[in-house]
Amino acid sequence: MKETKKFFCIFAAITTLFVPAFAAAQGAQKAGSDTYTWNGELVALDENARTLTVKSRVVGDQPMAELGKFKAGDRIVLTWSGFDKYADAINHAVRYDAAKKYEERFTFPVEFVAFDSAHQYVTFKAPVPANGVSAIKSLKSGEWITATSPHAKSAESPIVSVRPYVSSATNSN
């Protein structure tokens, strides 16, 4: 009886200390950041059209099966694998449906360019803000960018900012 009472006292103390902290962390995760960052290899930048063509990594069976079905110029929706503020690779791809509202986190519409199944990369185009063009216009094809996107709240602006993946020493001031 004494051991059971001791166990419940310890359990109550642990629950009192950790459950509120865990609940707060879960609430913060749900609220999360309004944006997330992802990386890709720059293929091209069209300054006049303010569009970025980028190549990003693909993971998982679903996009590997679906991406081969699209043709250049098709409008598609990409979903990134990620957590909170950071995305790593594209783990879902579907044909864009204008009647559907895309609310999933880490999701945005793009223009499909190509899919390289052998190397597991998808190439796509997306609009960038004017300040994004100026931030990366000195980059060459093959260099990497870091983009920031909203968590599925603005299909019109899939990229809210973009910068070189690595800042040079001359840009750090």
Side-chain angles (χ1 to χ4, degrees), residues 16-150:
T16 303
L17 292 173
F18 292 107
V19 169
F22 180 74
Q26 290 294 322
Q29 180 181 339
K30 285 180 186 174
S33 173
D34 290 342
T35 61
Y36 62 98
T37 60
W38 52 272
N39 301 305
E41 181 182 334
L42 179 66
V43 174
L45 175 65
D46 184 336
E47 292 183 53
N48 294 329
R50 287 190 6 222
T51 58
L52 172 72
T53 304
V54 66
K55 184 166 65 170
S56 292
R57 200 166 66 90
V58 175
V59 294
D61 294 335
Q62 193 278 344
M64 292 297 291
E66 291 300 311
L67 287 167
K69 298 175 183 177
F70 302 122
K71 297 182 309 266
D74 284 351
R75 190 110 161 109
I76 64 172
V77 177
L78 299 177
T79 302
W80 293 80
S81 64
F83 179 76
D84 191 28
K85 304 183 287 188
Y86 306 100
D88 180 44
I90 294 156
N91 68 358
H92 196 81
V94 295
R95 188 169 304 280
Y96 179 78
D97 179 354
K100 184 176 178 189
K101 198 170 189 175
Y102 297 95
E103 295 290 331
E104 297 87 15
R105 291 170 58 86
F106 300 102
T107 300
F108 59 75
V110 298
E111 179 184 328
F112 178 80
V113 174
F115 175 55
D116 179 350
S117 62
H119 295 101
Q120 297 183 323
Y121 276 92
V122 63
T123 304
F124 59 90
K125 285 184 185 180
V128 294
N131 63 347
V133 170
S134 62
I136 62 168
K137 69 180 181 180
S138 65
L139 294 180
K140 308 225 179 333
S141 181
E143 294 185 293
W144 284 69
I145 58 99
T146 296
T148 302
S149 296

Side-chain angles (χ1 to χ4, degrees), residues 149-168:
S149 296
H151 273 297
K153 300 298 179 202
S154 176
E156 300 305 313
S157 304
I159 298 173
V160 294
S161 70
V162 64
R163 63 178 173 78
Y165 179 75
V166 177
S167 297
S168 69

Side-chain angles (χ1 to χ4, degrees), residues 4-27:
T4 303
K5 192 173 189 180
K6 184 177 178 182
F7 169 79
F8 282 114
C9 287
I10 292 171
F11 180 76
I14 290 171
T15 304
T16 303
L17 292 173
F18 292 107
V19 169
F22 180 74
Q26 290 294 322

